[in-house]
Amino acid sequence: AIRKCGINGFNELRYKLMQPNENKDLVSINEIMNKSLIEATNVLERISLADILKIVDAIRATKSSKIYVFARGLTEHVAQEFSLKLELLDYNVTQTGDPNIMRSVSKNLRKENLILIFSLNGQTHELIESAQNANLVNAKVITCCCSDKSPLLEYSTHYLIGYKHSHVSIKEFEVTSRVPLYIISRIIIDYLAEQSKT
């Protein structure tokens, strides 16, 4: 029966039976890599150069004032890296993920201050409240998130909306990829760095 199928023996049969599993693994890896490619491509397609330049100009205009960078959860890692790079470019920056500090700071803002908010879904209550508080004193709010339905957008002077892939690897927890936010933060920092050279 094996020979009638064009297979020379049990060893070759075992090998052929193993091949679909190897191909399945390759397909799975390709799907995972494709997810990152889709996120990156969609982020780059969604954001406009005009919006990036407005945000860069708003940040540069605040160079002599205080910039506050707010984020919660895993997005705090994006905010920390972004804040560090702003500091390296000589900006006066404070970054926090603490909701009590956010509330307190946002209630005591001055018009010349700027709040930059990173949020994956744009639904975090403390971030929305901070944006509202900033809005009341006409302080600028810049939001970087991945939802065009976020209430944050209503209180933002400028915003960039990334793309969040619908496939989530670990469904029990909110640990969705922050790759889109990292891409957005990198673009802003790179433009700021480029303009600081001129």
Side-chain angles (χ1 to χ4, degrees):
I2 292 171
R3 291 195 196 287
K4 285 194 177 192
C5 292
I7 299 170
N8 291 326
F10 284 109
N11 286 337
E12 189 176 339
L13 175 63
R14 262 189 240 126
Y15 173 75
K16 292 212 181 246
L17 289 174
M18 293 290 285
Q19 266 190 320
N21 290 335
E22 289 173 4
N23 289 340
K24 186 178 177 184
D25 289 343
L26 287 175
V27 168
S28 182
I29 289 169
N30 282 336
E31 286 174 9
I32 290 167
M33 292 172 76
N34 195 39
K35 186 172 107 172
S36 294
L37 179 63
I38 288 168
E39 278 186 335
T41 304
N42 277 295
V43 167
L44 297 174
E45 286 175 359
R46 282 179 174 222
I47 59 178
S48 75
L49 180 58
D51 290 336
I52 293 165
L53 292 175
K54 285 177 191 171
I55 288 169
V56 166
D57 288 344
I59 293 171
R60 288 182 77 196
T62 316
K63 189 149 190 171
S64 59
S65 300
K66 188 81 167 173
I67 297 173
Y68 297 94
V69 181
F70 294 165
R72 296 281 289 135
L74 286 180
T75 307
E76 288 179 54
H77 297 294
V78 178
Q80 287 167 352
E81 182 178 324
F82 182 83
S83 299
L84 172 65
K85 290 178 179 177
L86 273 184
E87 282 182 59
L88 294 173
L89 292 170
D90 269 344
Y91 287 88
N92 185 4
V93 185
T94 296
Q95 182 272 321
T96 187
D98 185 293
N100 295 321
I101 295 173
M102 286 179 198
R103 285 186 190 103
S104 176
V105 165
S106 65
K107 285 178 183 172
N108 295 301
L109 287 173
R110 295 187 311 246
K111 185 179 178 179
E112 61 270 15
N113 294 135
L114 179 134
I115 290 185
L116 213 145
I117 296 172
F118 285 97
S119 178
L120 189 66
N121 297 312
Q123 301 295 328
T124 306
H125 179 72
E126 305 87 58
L127 298 175
I128 296 166
E129 185 181 334
S130 297
Q132 288 171 326
N133 291 339
N135 204 260
L136 289 173
V137 295
N138 291 320
K140 287 193 175 96
V141 177
I142 294 172
T143 297
C144 301
C145 70
C146 293
S147 170
D148 56 2
K149 303 211 179 343
S150 168
L152 283 168
L153 305 182
E154 180 184 339
Y155 305 107
S156 298
T157 315
H158 306 291
Y159 56 82
L160 293 174
I161 301 171
Y163 172 82
K164 183 177 84 164
H165 200 284
S166 58
H167 180 267
V168 178
S169 302
I170 305 170
K171 295 177 177 33
E172 297 84 15
F173 305 99
E174 177 44 79
V175 291
T176 306
S177 166
R178 268 52 178 186
V179 166
L181 295 177
Y182 276 112
I183 292 170
I184 290 171
S185 79
R186 179 184 181 178
I187 290 169
I188 294 169
I189 290 293
D190 285 358
Y191 269 97
L192 282 167
E194 196 61 37
Q195 288 200 348
S196 70
K197 294 175 187 174
T198 57

